[in-house]
Amino acid sequence: MNINSLTTAEEKLMTVLWKLNSFYMKNVMEEHPEPKPHQNTVSTYLKILVEKGYLTTEKEGRIFKYSVVIPYEDYRSFVLRNFLKQFCNNSTEELIGLLEDEKMLQPQVVKSKVKPVSTPEKKKKKQRFKIADEILKSAKKKKKKKK
């Protein structure tokens, strides 16, 4: 699925639309926080969001019913990946460092959330120990049988 970037205004409107999921213009106007934009403004943004692929329309008589196409989780992932690429050289370590520098993340939280990465070397060592354990077990069994 190809996701296009949103302007700040489009993103603010989409936060309302993601909550509604399927809606009519009147629902948007009711749910939009104050200060409410003019209905023509919302209508223009809805048209743009349809063109960008965020919404679909279904005509019901003289009005349109809109439905969200791109889920919030997909958009959030898209924004995070773009941020990582643009501001952190595609490095999660740099992102975590930035969050710590900005006092947005405590080091102890990172330690509790990050799981150690299993490298191929560690896997080989585990396999070696597993093989060694099997050899030792079979040797112990042979000694017991001989007694």
Side-chain angles (χ1 to χ4, degrees), residues 44-57:
T44 301
Y45 278 117
L46 291 176
K47 181 182 174 193
I48 292 168
L49 291 168
V50 168
E51 290 171 1
K52 286 188 171 186
Y54 281 84
L55 305 174
T56 60
T57 59

Side-chain angles (χ1 to χ4, degrees), residues 78-91:
F78 165 76
V79 170
L80 181 60
R81 289 177 194 281
N82 279 350
F83 181 85
L84 195 64
K85 185 190 243 179
Q86 188 171 359
F87 296 103
C88 299
N89 299 315
N90 248 356
S91 166

